[in-house]
Amino acid sequence: MQIEIHADVLCPWSYIAKRRLEAASALAGTPVTTVWRSFELSPEGGPMPGDSAADMIRQWRGDAAEARINEIMSLGAAEGIRLDLENARPVNSFNAHRLVHLGAAVGKADAVMERLLRAYHSEAQNIANLGVLDRLGREAGLEPSAVAELLVGKDFADAVRADKRLAVERGISGVPVMVLAGAAPTSAVKPVEELAGLLRQAAGSQPGG
């Protein structure tokens, strides 16, 4: 079954949703092929890291920030994810999304997305740095020559922009959001049991289901 997920590498909730969907697929006994749709949370961001993700939450949420930070990290830990908000520093994710599209072209989008998410959220790596992206792409199983060619050119830039337009058409203003079997877009951050139920329902509605 195919599922579309609008997500950004910078988004800890996208990482949590990925893990929950993997668990839901196993629970439902429904294999899923994920189409990762590019969504930039900080399109105005540059290639150089600035304030940490935790500091940005503190700027946005004031007195409620520490509870929010702890909530995100705790939910990540429950899914086996180390979300290092104190050291993850938001940057421009456009080229990272291009790398995911390169992965999609050779059936490795999920592996590329996984490696990017771990690099940014757990390892505090700069996913806007071309040298870092080159290494991460190779570690995710992409051909070194294809990654190098991507990073010196503009391949898949139009695909990233098309995903952004699709999000607007679908009324999506935040991520992660999933689109399953033609249903309306909905949050991908749901309990595993609920996600499994949605997968079973979608599988049953398909021809031959």
Side-chain angles (χ1 to χ4, degrees):
M1 181 192 309
Q2 180 174 294
I3 180 173
E4 298 174 69
I5 304 179
H6 293 259
D8 192 5
V9 177
L10 304 183
C11 174
W13 298 105
S14 293
Y15 203 176
I16 291 169
K18 185 176 187 297
R19 280 291 181 276
R20 290 184 179 179
L21 282 163
E22 290 166 349
S25 175
L27 180 62
T30 305
V32 169
T33 299
T34 302
V35 176
W36 292 100
R37 296 294 187 189
S38 306
F39 190 101
E40 291 182 275
L41 289 173
S42 299
E44 73 287 346
M48 299 302 296
D51 292 339
S52 71
D55 284 339
M56 294 182 73
I57 293 173
R58 292 182 181 109
Q59 294 168 23
W60 297 332
R61 291 186 172 262
D63 292 342
E66 298 309 319
R68 185 63 163 176
I69 291 168
N70 290 332
E71 176 192 17
I72 294 171
M73 292 193 299
S74 295
L75 289 172
E79 304 301 334
I81 301 168
R82 178 172 176 265
L83 296 174
D84 187 2
L85 299 181
E86 296 292 354
N87 290 299
R89 299 180 183 276
V91 286
N92 187 281
S93 60
F94 190 85
N95 286 322
H97 285 298
R98 290 203 298 130
L99 191 65
V100 176
H101 277 281
L102 173 62
V106 294
K108 295 184 178 180
D110 203 65
V112 175
M113 191 64 167
E114 176 69 27
R115 188 64 191 98
L116 289 168
L117 287 166
R118 177 159 57 88
Y120 174 74
H121 292 285
S122 303
E123 301 168 356
Q125 297 195 50
N126 178 0
I127 54 90
N129 180 279
L130 297 184
V132 171
L133 288 175
D134 179 75
R135 174 172 52 79
L136 295 177
R138 288 184 283 109
E139 290 176 359
L142 299 181
E143 287 292 333
S145 59
V147 176
E149 183 178 350
L150 174 87
L151 296 176
V152 298
K154 297 182 178 180
D155 289 351
F156 299 108
D158 288 344
V160 175
R161 296 187 184 102
D163 281 352
K164 292 168 64 177
R165 290 193 298 272
L166 179 60
V168 172
E169 292 169 5
R170 287 174 165 173
I172 296 170
S173 58
V175 291
V177 168
M178 66 180 186
V179 178
L180 180 60
T186 185
S187 171
V189 185
K190 299 179 185 294
V192 171
E193 294 77 8
E194 184 176 347
L195 290 170
L198 291 174
L199 292 176
R200 293 190 191 98
Q201 180 181 355
S205 68
Q206 292 185 334

